[in-house]
Amino acid sequence: MVVAISRRSEVEPFHAMDVLAEANRLRAQGHPVVSLAVGQPSDPAPAVVRQAAADAIAAGKIGYTDSLGLPALREAIAAHYADHYGIEVPAARIAVTTGSSAGFNLAFLAMFDPGDRVAITAPGYPAYRNVLTALGLEVVEIRLDGEGALTADHLERAHREKPLKGVLFASPANPTGAVIPPDTLRGIVEAARAMGIAVISDEIYHRLAYTAPDTTALAFGDDVTVINSFSKYYCMTGWRIGWMVLPEALVRPVERVAQSLYISAPEISQAAAIRAFEAGAELDRVKERYRVNRALLAEALPQIGLPLAAPMDGAFYAYCDVSRHTNDSMDFAQRLLKECHVAATPGLDFDLAGGHRFLRLSYAGSEAEISTAIERLRAWL
C-alpha cells in the first residue's frame, strides 16, 4: 500500500489540543483535573441562541445556504458594527464562515500566492503560522519580546528587510491578552497602506477587553480584512460560526473559494447566531466572572514565582514566565498536568524561538476552578 504524505502537513502540532486530550484521558480515569489549557468559555451559548437552534430543528429546514451566509445573519452582523463601533458596514461586504478558522483559510487563499511573505507576531496564535506554512507562504515573525503589541515601526522594519505582501495581527492577542491602542492601530493600518501591505485584523476577542473600549481596524479604512467569530465572547465554540468583513474587491474571490471548500457554514449555527447579539446582558455577566478570575491570577501568579509577561488587557489568558523554574515549558506543562492535575499550554505553541520560557493559562472557567488551580500551583512550586 502506498500512502502519500505531503511536506505541507509537516507543521507543528497544536500543543494545547494535545494537552486537552491528555487532560480528558486523566479525567476519564477519575482524576480531578482543572483545565486552564484551551481558550474555551465554560458557559453554554446564550439561552436565546439555544432556543433559536431548537426552533430551527423543529422546523426541519436545515440545509445549504449561500456561501456568503444567510442574509439575516449578515444584516445582524452589519447592525452590530453600527451599534458597537458606530461604523457603517454594508452587509454585502460580510461573509459568514465556519468559525474564524475558515475565515483565515479563505483570507490566505484569496489574498496571497505561494511564496508571498506574510508577517505575524511572535508570540502569536499557532494556527496562523501553521496554515500559512501549509499553503506555501513565507511566514515572517515579528518578535515582540517585552514590547507588548505590534507597532508601525515593527512593520516598517520587517518590510525594509524584504518586502511583505500581508500582515496579520490580533487585538486583544492570544496568548498575551495585549491590546493595540487606537492610535497605534491607526499607525499600523496607515503604514501598511503606504507600503502596499494587505492587512488582516483578528478581532475574535473583541468585547473581552478590560481596560478600554474595542477599536476595530475598520475604523481606519475599508481596505482591511477583519475576521471575527461567535466562539469567544458569545460562548459558541462548538457551533463553528464566524465572519469576515472584506474589502469590496475580495467578496467575490472569497465566495468562489468558499463554494468549493465549505459550501456554507452550518445553517443551524447561522440561524442561532442571529439571536446572539440580543444576549449582551447574559454574556456581560460571564465577562464579569472573567474579570474576577483575571484579578485572582494577576495577584497570585507573581507571588508564586510566575510573573506575567503581558498586562492581560483583554481575552482570557495569562501568559507567564516560568524561567525561574524551568527552561522547558513543554516538560513543565506535562509535569504540571501529571503531578498536580492542572492543565496549561506551553509557550512553545505560540513562539518556537522563545516559548520555552512561558506558559499560557486560560481563565475562562469558573472562579472555583481558578482558585483551585492557584492553590495547587502554589503547593507544587
Side-chain angles (χ1 to χ4, degrees):
M1 182 174 67
V2 177
V3 178
I5 301 176
S6 77
R7 288 191 301 273
R8 293 177 180 177
S9 67
E10 295 176 357
V11 297
E12 284 290 315
F14 193 175
H15 298 294
M17 302 312 296
D18 290 343
V19 171
L20 177 63
E22 179 62 14
N24 288 338
R25 187 185 70 80
L26 289 172
R27 275 204 189 103
Q29 294 176 351
H31 298 289
V33 174
V34 175
S35 181
L36 310 185
V38 179
Q40 174 167 261
S42 58
D43 289 81
V48 292
V49 168
R50 287 176 279 140
Q51 185 60 55
D55 293 344
I57 292 172
K61 295 181 179 180
I62 301 170
Y64 297 139
T65 72
D66 293 343
S67 292
L68 292 177
L70 290 173
L73 179 54
R74 296 169 74 195
E75 292 287 351
I77 294 168
H80 164 66
Y81 279 92
D83 293 341
H84 188 62
Y85 302 99
I87 294 175
E88 295 299 322
V89 175
R93 286 176 46 209
I94 293 169
V96 177
T97 60
T98 309
S100 66
S101 298
F104 293 116
N105 295 341
L106 291 167
F108 299 158
L109 286 165
M111 297 171 71
F112 308 124
D113 292 312
D116 284 346
R117 288 165 50 84
V118 180
I120 61 174
T121 60
Y125 181 50
Y128 303 155
R129 179 183 64 242
N130 292 344
V131 175
L132 288 165
T133 300
L135 292 176
L137 299 164
E138 183 178 347
V139 179
V140 178
E141 292 194 316
I142 298 176
R143 299 203 58 79
L144 301 178
D145 299 321
E147 298 183 63
L150 182 71
T151 67
D153 286 344
H154 289 124
L155 191 60
E156 288 164 353
R157 287 199 298 267
H159 188 68
R160 280 197 300 270
E161 291 178 10
K162 190 175 179 182
L164 300 169
K165 184 67 177 291
V167 61
L168 164 60
F169 53 83
S171 177
N174 176 10
T176 63
V179 172
I180 300 175
D183 288 346
T184 303
L185 181 56
R186 179 192 296 276
I188 293 169
V189 172
E190 292 179 350
R193 184 178 297 126
M195 293 182 286
I197 300 170
V199 170
I200 304 173
S201 177
D202 177 358
E203 299 179 359
I204 191 173
Y205 293 102
H206 273 212
R207 305 194 73 170
L208 291 175
Y210 306 99
T211 59
D214 294 324
T215 301
T216 175
L218 295 166
F220 309 116
D222 58 8
D223 56 347
V224 302
T225 295
V226 163
I227 296 176
N228 207 325
S229 171
F230 290 93
S231 290
K232 306 301 182 179
Y233 172 76
Y234 299 96
C235 300
M236 295 178 66
T237 51
W239 299 70
R240 307 315 302 137
I241 188 77
W243 75 84
M244 310 171 74
V245 181
L246 297 161
E248 188 174 347
L250 272 176
V251 173
R252 183 57 178 162
V254 163
E255 183 178 25
R256 288 196 301 262
V257 177
Q259 287 168 342
S260 293
L261 283 184
Y262 308 105
I263 300 182
S264 65
E267 184 174 17
I268 187 170
S269 297
Q270 293 191 59
I274 293 169
R275 303 294 303 278
F277 297 110
E278 303 171 20
E282 181 178 348
L283 293 168
D284 280 345
R285 287 194 292 273
V286 176
K287 179 181 176 179
E288 285 307 304
R289 190 183 72 249
Y290 300 158
R291 192 187 298 274
V292 171
N293 291 347
R294 172 178 176 264
L296 288 172
L297 287 173
E299 179 180 6
L301 291 176
Q303 293 176 353
I304 59 177
L306 299 174
L308 294 169
M312 302 166 64
D313 289 333
F316 34 56
Y317 303 120
Y319 197 56
C320 53
D321 187 338
V322 296
S323 59
R324 71 175 62 178
H325 304 285
T326 182
N327 197 39
D328 184 347
S329 63
M330 178 66 73
D331 175 71
F332 189 83
Q334 290 170 342
R335 290 190 292 113
L336 179 62
L337 179 56
K338 180 180 179 181
E339 295 173 17
C340 72
H341 298 141
V342 173
T345 304
L348 187 65
D349 247 353
F350 313 102
D351 184 354
L352 295 177
H356 59 281
R357 296 176 48 235
F358 298 97
L359 197 72
R360 189 196 74 175
L361 306 175
S362 168
Y363 52 87
S366 69
E367 183 179 345
E369 288 174 323
I370 301 302
S371 297
T372 298
I374 288 170
E375 290 312 308
R376 290 182 186 178
L377 275 164
R378 193 188 309 276
W380 187 65
L381 292 173

